[in-house]
Amino acid sequence: MRPSDYDDGSGAPDADGVAGSRPGSGPDAAVVSPKLGVVGWLRFAWRQLTSMRTALLLLLLLAIAAVPGSLVPQRSSDPNGVVQYFADNPDLAAVLEWFQMFDVYTSVWFSSIYLLLFVSLIGCIVPRTRHHFEALRARPPKTPARLSRLSAYTERELGGSAAGADEAAEVAEAAVERAATELRKAGYRVERYDARGIPSVSAERGYLRETGNLVFHTALVGVLVAVAIGGGFGFAGQRVIVEGQSFVNTLAAYDSFNPGRFFDDGSLTPYRLTLDELDAVYETENTDALGQPIDFTAHVTIDGLDGATDRDVKVNEPLYEYGTDVYLLGNGYAPTITVRDPGGDVVFTDSVPFLPQDANLTSLGVVKVPDGLDEQIGLIGFFYPTQEQLATGAYTSTYPDLVFPVLTLNIYSGDLGIDDGTPRSVYQLDTSGMEQLTGGETGVDSIELMPGESADLPNGLGTVEFASASPDAGDFAESVPRFASFDVHHDPSQGWVLVFSLLIVGGLLLSLFVPRRRMWVKAVARPDGRVVLEYAGLARGDDPGLERAVEDFADRHAGAATGPVSEHSST
């Protein structure tokens, strides 16, 4: 159906400047896109990156990328868990290490998503903010010539009739002026127009919707900035404390410490935290859940610049003091083990934390005695709060509380590997260069002790005692002290994150519940002296209440006694 000389503009002009006259042009010629070049491709990439769709996609990717941080132990919060993960899954751990799964939040791929999201949000916000301010200063749009074509439309006729055209024009002008006043009181921005002698008013409101949208995205950037900067000045440290022992908030006192990029150890506020008692409550009535933990409460005393106060720390109720949050992470038993030389002199005594291996707190611990005996010895022990022997002869714990506590020890002699200054984990014993003296294939039974009992070490090295903390020999309920694992966290960005989070919620509510509307009122004077008022509305986006709003305003403005001449709604 196209004419023979039709050209879509894709053909190159000839010498006379006529497009499409060269061969290969015309209706059947392929459209040739212009070459973008380096600058064009960069501009295209920037526009794609700073689009709202890309920002939402990156936000979703950031949420997905954070999932491995909760599935795999992280060095920043659980360094001992990482060590244990490598010991339990050496092959899988090597693969996860290559993908930086143990340092998710500082990994290259997570940081890349984080920075791209940051740039994308800023690229979205800046131009939209400029356009929003320009729209706020701009006049409402002119009244359309045919209001009946809009999505919400109705008419009202003013009662009575005017004596002539001049009087009808005055009535129309007064009606439009009254509409402008009422719209202004309703929160609309109002502008009067007069096209060919027909007065009208144009009004719009709902700019808070876009304001809320901008506040939402700006606050989201604020959260990202606060977390990034606050994390640089913060720190996270872990410390295991046995009942009756204390911890002082100094860098050397932490078992593990993960400072931020800008952390200064001089910023640590000095205070002392003492674990007075750890209460554990277990299920005893429901046989299907027997031994399941119900509650853990660490009763502590915190002594600082403001004096000493007694406080409680629970799993989901951290302690906030002196700018740090103290979280209760875990707990277990710390049997008090004393080693004496052949002469009876104490060469080692301490309450050693044993790490739980199952829900019934079967626990594993290591004791190293580098000095005081003829040779260095290491003890690998298992502690069973409620010991029971299986059919295979192995021991296990059937209940996590102290009902029948038993400690078993395997003794090793030789070089502990600590004389050369190489750091060693206190929870592991390298037995590759040591001789096993009890247990295993030695033919010598492992040492078994209950609270208050002692036994001789092999080869006349001395004695080992499982000291009881209970004054009554037959009362095991308090015979073994407990330990609690605390995470001390300092994050100076918490206040800012709270502020920005509230702004995010507020901006989101504004963007969801504030409708963006435009409304017009036009007064038309008919030749017979009648004045007809035309009302129309238009929404930006989905607004199911628009037609109702136009109807309600028409009823209020024209008066309840004025009946509709005609009503029309179109979608």
Side-chain angles (χ1 to χ4, degrees):
M1 300 297 292
R2 294 175 178 173
S4 59
D5 59 348
Y6 171 79
D7 184 77
D8 60 3
S10 62
D14 58 11
D16 297 331
V18 180
S21 60
R22 291 186 180 179
S25 65
D28 297 328
V31 177
V32 179
S33 301
K35 294 184 178 180
L36 293 179
V38 177
V39 177
W41 279 110
L42 290 176
R43 185 181 293 112
F44 173 79
W46 173 253
R47 288 178 178 174
Q48 295 301 313
L49 177 61
T50 56
S51 66
M52 189 55 63
R53 180 181 301 176
T54 302
L56 293 176
L57 178 61
L58 289 172
L59 189 61
L60 176 62
L61 286 177
L62 188 69
I64 296 175
V67 171
S70 60
L71 301 178
V72 180
Q74 300 295 296
R75 286 192 175 91
S76 59
S77 59
D78 189 12
N80 292 327
V82 176
V83 174
Q84 188 63 39
Y85 196 94
F86 269 88
D88 297 338
N89 309 279
D91 296 333
L92 178 59
V95 177
L96 295 178
E97 176 71 7
W98 191 86
F99 285 104
Q100 299 180 298
M101 287 297 180
F102 300 107
D103 301 282
V104 168
Y105 306 111
T106 57
S107 64
V108 174
W109 49 272
F110 188 87
S111 301
S112 299
I113 299 174
Y114 189 93
L115 293 176
L116 284 175
L117 175 61
F118 186 78
V119 173
S120 180
L121 286 173
I122 293 179
C124 292
I125 292 171
V126 172
R128 289 182 61 179
T129 303
R130 184 177 66 253
H131 295 327
H132 184 54
F133 283 144
E134 292 175 354
L136 289 176
R137 294 194 301 268
R139 299 170 59 191
K142 292 182 179 181
T143 305
R146 295 178 177 84
L147 292 179
S148 60
R149 294 184 176 181
L150 298 182
S151 59
Y153 174 80
T154 187
E155 293 180 358
R156 297 291 187 272
E157 179 182 341
L158 290 179
S161 60
D166 293 340
E167 186 176 349
E170 291 179 2
V171 173
E173 179 67 27
V176 170
E177 187 61 34
R178 188 171 67 253
T181 302
E182 293 180 6
L183 288 169
R184 192 176 289 110
K185 290 180 179 179
Y188 284 86
R189 297 171 60 235
V190 175
E191 186 72 24
R192 286 291 311 276
Y193 291 101
D194 192 348
R196 296 189 299 274
I198 301 177
S200 64
V201 58
S202 176
E204 61 180 354
R205 74 172 183 181
Y207 277 96
L208 278 178
R209 185 186 187 95
E210 180 65 12
T211 301
N213 203 338
L214 291 173
V215 168
F216 171 81
H217 290 93
T218 303
L220 185 58
V221 173
V223 169
L224 296 177
V225 173
V227 171
I229 297 179
F233 288 96
F235 68 86
Q238 295 75 40
R239 175 61 191 260
V240 172
I241 307 178
V242 180
E243 288 178 330
Q245 297 182 3
S246 300
F247 153 75
V248 179
N249 189 32
T250 59
L251 190 60
Y254 285 95
D255 294 330
S256 59
F257 193 81
N258 300 278
R261 187 183 303 271
F262 313 112
F263 172 76
D264 179 13
D265 57 0
S267 62
L268 291 175
T269 303
Y271 65 84
R272 181 173 64 246
L273 181 71
T274 302
L275 177 61
D276 300 319
E277 185 179 4
L278 180 70
D279 288 338
V281 180
Y282 300 101
E283 177 62 52
T284 58
E285 298 181 359
N286 185 356
T287 56
D288 294 332
L290 188 66
Q292 292 295 318
I294 297 177
D295 187 35
F296 295 109
T297 303
H299 304 285
V300 301
T301 299
I302 186 165
D303 190 1
L305 301 176
D306 300 330
T309 57
D310 295 332
R311 302 290 297 274
D312 291 340
V313 187
K314 292 178 176 291
V315 174
N316 294 319
E317 299 178 13
L319 168 67
Y320 181 79
E321 288 288 346
Y322 301 104
T324 59
D325 293 297
V326 181
Y327 297 89
L328 177 61
L329 295 183
N331 66 90
Y333 291 99
T336 303
I337 299 174
T338 300
V339 178
R340 291 182 172 86
D341 63 12
D345 295 329
V346 175
V347 297
F348 175 89
T349 182
D350 196 6
S351 296
V352 182
F354 276 45
L355 300 182
Q357 305 297 303
D358 56 31
N360 289 320
L361 296 187
T362 299
S363 305
L364 172 66
V366 170
V367 176
K368 300 177 183 180
V369 185
D371 301 307
L373 301 178
D374 292 340
E375 52 185 323
Q376 295 181 346
I377 65 170
L379 295 77
I380 297 180
F382 278 92
F383 176 70
Y384 309 94
T386 304
Q387 182 262 352
E388 181 175 327
Q389 189 172 14
L390 301 175
T392 60
Y395 290 164
T396 188
S397 177
T398 58
Y399 189 71
D401 214 349
L402 297 173
V403 178
F404 193 75
V406 172
L407 174 67
T408 64
L409 297 171
N410 284 335
I411 314 299
Y412 294 82
S413 65
D415 185 10
L416 293 174
I418 60 177
D419 294 336
D420 58 358
T422 303
R424 303 284 182 177
S425 172
V426 296
Y427 302 106
Q428 291 182 334
L429 178 65
D430 184 7
T431 61
S432 58
M434 305 185 72
E435 178 186 0
Q436 185 172 358
L437 303 180
T438 63
E441 300 178 356
T442 61
V444 180
D445 293 338
S446 299
I447 296 176
E448 297 184 11
L449 301 173
M450 297 187 71
E453 296 181 348
S454 61
D456 293 331
L457 293 171
N459 302 336
L461 291 174
T463 61
V464 57
E465 178 186 1
F466 180 12
S468 174
S470 175
D472 299 325
D475 182 14
F476 295 132
E478 303 293 336
S479 60
V480 182
R482 283 181 172 266
F483 74 85
S485 175
F486 293 100
D487 181 80
V488 183
H489 188 74
H490 172 62
D491 185 2
S493 66
Q494 287 181 334
W496 289 105
V497 170
L498 175 61
V499 171
F500 287 126
S501 299
L502 294 176
L503 289 175
I504 286 176
V505 174
L508 184 61
L509 293 176
L510 287 176
S511 63
L512 290 178
F513 297 108
V514 174
R516 178 78 178 274
R517 291 173 178 170
R518 286 174 178 172
M519 191 174 292
W520 293 274
V521 180
K522 182 190 293 187
V524 181
R526 302 293 169 82
D528 58 0
R530 293 181 302 113
V531 178
V532 176
L533 298 176
E534 297 181 352
Y535 303 88
L538 185 66
R540 184 173 181 178
D542 187 22
D543 187 358
L546 177 63
E547 294 183 8
R548 182 64 181 174
V550 173
E551 294 283 347
D552 291 344
F553 180 77
D555 291 339
R556 291 196 308 270
H557 176 251
T562 301
V565 173
S566 63
E567 298 183 2
H568 169 72
S569 296
S570 61
T571 57

